Amino acid sequence: MTVEKLFKARKIFMLASATILIFILPFSLSVGSYNVTYLDTLKFILGYSNLPPDATSILLIRLRRALAGILIGFILGASGTAMQSVLRNPMASPFTLGISSAAALGVAVVLLTGLEGSVRGVILAYSNPYIIPIFALVFALIQTAIVLLLAYRAGLSERALVLAAIAMNFFYQALLSLIQYLKLNELQVALIVFWSFGDVGRIGWVELKIIAIAASALSIYFIDRALDFDLMGLGDDVAYASGVNAKRVRLEASIVAAIGASIVTAFSGVIAFLCLISPHIARLVVGNNHRYLIPESMIVAAILLIAADSIGRFILSPITLPVGVTLSLIGSPLLIYLLLKRR
């Protein structure tokens, strides 16, 4: 296959993936305990449907949920690809930096201090609905700063980043277990466990705007760095010889990916598996050229997340499974299949 045909095939694959994403959106809106046809949801998206008020309200909630899934998919897909590239590790992701454990510890600290919170019967209520996401985000960013500082002191190599992250991850898990065991009651522990389940349904319109801004900025940065990622995949020496400061790019990419994953985790809980599997699927479709790999990873991640959320609402309706659980159940066998296929 000539280079021109290869580029053309990549563009066709990306166009096909984008088309799948567009057509799966109305399907996601039609799935749930309240039955709405695919055609009605399509008309609703286009603004032509005169549905009853109840159906319109339900579709608005589902639309917000689907848009959140798309934007989160964009963030985690691009971040996972970037981390695997700069760390040269196919198992790397933003959550390799220990973001999920740090964010969970932030939630535990909120519950431990009782900041602006109160227990009403069997419900833990907060006068400020953003207090938990804020603490989760702050602790995730603190974790990122500590890991990057330790890695910087050790030379900022990919090995230093991974080892520093592993060490801090175990430390945060130990602190979280200690707080849960000694200080928190059953309701508070259950809240941490429930929060750790990834769920796009808890994201409101304000949070959606914040995630949209983060997705836009992150996507622009990573796509702009596509050539640098290609050179770093050949080794730091090749990158330096080509005029790319590998350590600086690794630091920048890790910070951007960590911030994006931290924002997602703060609002939706832990959806760690998505940024691991989507780059592998995209790589099979468009290859290792990051000019195509990053956008394709974003589209694949969005498709996987919306599909997993739809299946989670359909399989045990009217019970909704958290998308993080559904995604891991679907993605784990898929990842094993991809690993066996590449042997």
Side-chain angles (χ1 to χ4, degrees), residues 149-164:
L149 179 61
L150 292 174
Y152 178 79
R153 297 288 296 178
L156 207 60
S157 65
E158 62 270 18
R159 181 177 298 179
L161 268 172
V162 173
L163 291 178

Side-chain angles (χ1 to χ4, degrees), residues 11 18 55 64 78 89 144 181 198 203 225 237-238 257 275 291 309-310 327:
K11 293 178 181 177
R64 184 184 65 201
N89 186 341
T144 302
Y181 184 76
I203 295 175
R225 287 292 188 183
D237 293 337
V238 175
C275 49
R291 179 184 173 189
D309 182 53
S310 301
L327 190 62

